[in-house]
Amino acid sequence: MVQKLPLARGGIDAACALRSDLDLAALCTTARVVAVDLRRQVLLSKQQPPTLGGLSCPEIAREFPQLSQAVAAGRIFFLGKVDGRVVLGAYFADLDKLPGRAGVPIREVAHKLSPSDSSLASAALALATWHSRAGYCARCGSSTYAQAAGWERRCTGCQCVEYPRTDPSIICAVTDPQERLLIAHNVAWAPRRISVLAGYVEAGEAAEETVHREIAEEVGIEVTCVRYLYSQAWPFPRSLMLAFTAETTAQDSDLVLQEDEIGWAKFVSRTDFISLAMNRKIILPSQATIAASMIERWLGEPLPRVASC
């Protein structure tokens, strides 16, 4: 069975064949418009459970007075169709500056959204980040403009066409012969926050090779029995998280930490993990993360809510 994760739950018709023919400026008055900002926030409605709150026509007209220019800049783009209705995305520097509106960090609400809203938010955040950084051609330095309903950018100089970037990364749940899980704290995180080990796939690597390299680099141990689990879009800023499990015969005394990245790491039993969480000795990954799903899979039950955030 396919794992259904927050930010990777489907429900969208990508309608790729429509991208070359859509008039996004005209559609702004009739389509649903999902608003995101470069701080990884989304607009929500006041309904319960929460849904992505769209912009009204007056708001769109006020924020984007020249719609054709906004489309060319990649500020408005096509996300697909949901229940037959066209859905557009629009990005802002900061949603909190919209009169009477406020954005909500997607990490806080992704797990509460419907499958289609979750996927819309993920796609919108990824496209917004790409457009905000792709204004100039990497080959010749000339300016670029959006086309294909926001899924391509063409250079005004050399005419090179670029596409949205997705950076693959691995995340791995490592267990020892006693089925204890290896958890770690990254030095860049808030105190007590933990997760399992992760890292970006480098040029020329297969994802499985990345698992071996990252674990060796971060904690100095070898792993075996590397197995793929599932994946999740992670638009922070534009990753695809590939989840794996692996096994090791190493113990805590064998760990050699990458000091500029890993603050501490250790193997924990299921009983110890629950105790650490319930006593707030550790802060768990948020429910929107693939790490939370992986730890729950190992734990055999939902994560303790008291310490998650």
Side-chain angles (χ1 to χ4, degrees):
M1 184 175 65
V2 177
Q3 182 79 18
K4 294 297 185 181
L5 300 164
L7 297 174
R9 293 189 286 172
I12 300 177
D13 175 6
C16 301
L18 299 179
R19 292 175 183 174
S20 60
D21 300 321
L22 290 176
D23 182 347
L24 299 188
L27 284 171
C28 282
T29 59
T30 57
R32 179 185 177 192
V33 181
V34 172
V36 299
D37 69 18
L38 299 182
R39 300 168 61 213
R40 279 70 165 185
Q41 295 193 135
V42 296
L43 277 185
L44 294 182
S45 72
K46 296 182 179 179
Q47 301 174 6
Q48 292 296 328
T51 60
L52 295 182
L55 294 175
S56 65
C57 291
E59 286 177 311
I60 295 170
R62 182 173 63 249
E63 297 301 325
F64 302 105
Q66 300 294 326
L67 284 175
S68 60
Q69 293 180 13
V71 169
R75 299 293 299 274
I76 299 173
F77 39 81
F78 176 62
L79 294 176
K81 287 186 173 183
V82 176
D83 297 329
R85 184 183 181 188
V86 169
V87 184
L88 306 182
Y91 90 78
F92 301 80
D94 187 349
L95 288 173
D96 293 343
K97 294 183 179 179
L98 287 177
R101 297 292 198 119
V104 179
I106 189 61
R107 291 174 186 258
E108 295 180 5
V109 295
H111 62 288
K112 300 178 182 178
L113 298 175
S114 69
S116 59
D117 273 7
S118 175
S119 295
L120 287 170
S122 180
L125 287 168
L127 283 171
T129 300
W130 176 60
H131 282 297
S132 71
R133 300 179 179 183
Y136 295 93
C137 177
R139 295 189 181 187
C140 73
S142 299
S143 62
T144 65
Y145 61 91
Q147 61 180 27
W151 289 86
E152 299 176 3
R153 291 191 74 98
R154 180 178 291 275
C155 175
T156 57
C158 66
Q159 300 302 307
C160 173
V161 176
E162 296 288 344
Y163 303 91
R165 281 271 309 278
T166 298
D167 298 328
S169 58
I170 64 90
I171 182 166
C172 188
V174 179
T175 54
D176 70 4
Q178 290 76 47
E179 296 188 359
R180 296 186 304 165
L181 178 69
L182 180 61
I183 61 173
H185 169 74
N186 190 296
V187 296
W189 296 342
R192 297 181 288 120
R193 181 173 295 280
I194 62 93
S195 186
V196 291
L197 299 176
Y200 285 104
V201 177
E202 291 189 345
E205 278 187 330
E208 292 81 359
E209 293 174 325
T210 307
V211 171
H212 289 280
R213 176 184 56 77
E214 281 288 341
I215 293 171
E217 287 180 356
E218 293 187 353
V219 294
I221 63 174
E222 295 183 358
V223 295
T224 60
C225 301
V226 175
R227 296 185 178 91
Y228 172 74
L229 289 178
Y230 38 71
S231 64
Q232 175 178 312
W234 192 242
F236 302 102
R238 54 190 183 195
S239 296
L240 175 65
M241 302 293 293
L242 307 171
F244 290 85
T245 60
E247 299 175 7
T248 185
T249 59
Q251 301 296 302
D252 287 341
S253 59
D254 300 314
L255 300 178
V256 180
L257 306 185
Q258 186 177 16
E259 293 182 357
D260 62 344
E261 186 166 349
I262 305 298
W264 57 264
K266 65 179 178 180
F267 290 93
V268 293
S269 68
R270 294 176 177 88
T271 300
D272 288 342
F273 182 88
I274 293 174
S275 176
L276 288 169
M278 296 299 293
N279 289 292
R280 301 183 183 274
K281 300 295 185 181
I282 57 175
I283 298 175
L284 305 183
S286 75
Q287 294 180 63
T289 65
I290 196 169
S293 170
M294 296 169 69
I295 295 174
E296 285 186 343
R297 182 179 181 275
W298 163 78
L299 194 60
E301 62 183 85
L303 293 181
R305 293 292 181 88
V306 64
S308 62
C309 63

